[in-house]
């Protein structure tokens, strides 16, 4: 899929699901083992993510299952825009 750089389309978000391995609220980073994300054509993997809103990390702990939304902050760089603990 190709998209023009000046696309006026609203920022597309991608929905993911995973388990928290570690949280660095100060740095605004979280390490997740996430399930495949078909809309990005990503396989399941363990990786670090930057989080837009650092405060959203303060209540998160390793072992929790979460759903999250990813947006492309800049080309090829995906950050979490929303993260929610699954009960
Ligand atoms: Cu990944």
């Amino acid at each position: 899929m190709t998209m023009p750089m000046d696309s006026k389309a609203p920022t597309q978000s991608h929905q993911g699901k995973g388990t928290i391995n570690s949280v660095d609220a100060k740095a605004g980073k979280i390490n997740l083992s996430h399930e495949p994300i078909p809309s990005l054509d990503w396989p399941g993997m363990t990786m670090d993510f930057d989080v837009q809103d650092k405060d959203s990390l303060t209540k998160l702990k390793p072992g929790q299952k979460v759903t999250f939304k990813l947006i492309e902050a800049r080309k090829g760089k995906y950050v979490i825009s929303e993260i929610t603990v699954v009960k």
Side-chain angles (χ1 to χ4, degrees):
M1 182 172 91
T2 57
M3 285 215 278
M5 296 296 287
D6 61 352
S7 170
K8 297 282 193 298
T11 307
Q12 195 188 356
S13 69
H14 303 272
Q15 191 71 42
K17 227 188 220 181
T19 304
I20 299 173
N21 297 310
S22 62
V23 179
D24 186 343
K26 260 188 191 160
K29 286 184 189 295
I30 190 166
N31 184 279
L32 296 174
S33 294
H34 67 75
E35 294 178 8
I37 303 177
S39 60
L40 280 169
D41 204 19
W42 283 5
M45 68 181 108
T46 295
M47 63 189 287
D48 287 321
F49 287 100
D50 289 333
V51 178
Q52 276 191 322
D53 176 12
K54 292 181 186 183
D55 290 344
S56 65
L57 294 179
T58 54
K59 287 176 187 155
L60 300 179
K61 295 185 185 71
Q64 287 177 323
K65 293 198 187 326
V66 292
T67 59
F68 56 93
K69 274 187 188 171
L70 288 176
I71 58 165
E72 194 172 21
R74 55 174 196 273
K75 195 156 172 48
K77 169 73 175 178
Y78 289 89
V79 302
I80 291 177
S81 60
E82 271 182 61
I83 186 162
T84 309
V85 176
V86 180
K87 298 236 161 65

